[in-house]
Amino acid sequence: GKAIRLWWYSLTANADNSATVVAGLRFGTGSTDFFKQSLSKYGQGTAHSFKAGASFHQGAVNQPLIVNLDAAQVVYANIDYEEVTP
């Protein structure tokens, strides 16, 4: 199996959204979000160089990368990743 290595991401709320949306990123369905941010209209969350010593965030083998939204609003995701054999 392969794992997803996330190098960079940006989540942007649609300007036509009618409400604020909390957007989160996680690997796998049973895990917690490693990124979570409230996005109002024109709101954006961007991250790279995640932690000291590593410029990526990596999930376990065969775990999908999930964008989780707490409301039915439009959020655009721009993601730079690669699939790797750990």
Side-chain angles (χ1 to χ4, degrees):
K2 300 273 186 175
I4 294 175
R5 182 173 288 171
L6 182 61
W7 291 99
W8 181 91
Y9 65 85
S10 174
L11 300 175
T12 306
N14 187 307
D16 294 329
N17 283 354
S18 61
T20 296
V21 59
V22 176
L25 288 172
R26 68 175 68 170
F27 287 107
T29 56
S31 63
T32 59
D33 295 340
F34 60 84
F35 169 81
K36 187 179 281 191
Q37 183 168 352
S38 178
L39 301 173
S40 59
K41 291 184 180 187
Y42 306 106
Q44 179 175 358
T46 303
H48 57 85
S49 300
F50 296 102
K51 52 191 171 192
S55 60
F56 60 87
H57 196 89
Q58 184 169 311
V61 171
N62 296 327
Q63 276 189 322
L65 175 63
I66 296 171
V67 178
N68 188 41
L69 306 177
D70 78 336
Q73 300 294 317
V74 177
V75 172
Y76 302 106
N78 184 1
I79 297 172
D80 182 16
Y81 74 96
E82 68 178 313
E83 293 182 357
V84 297
T85 303

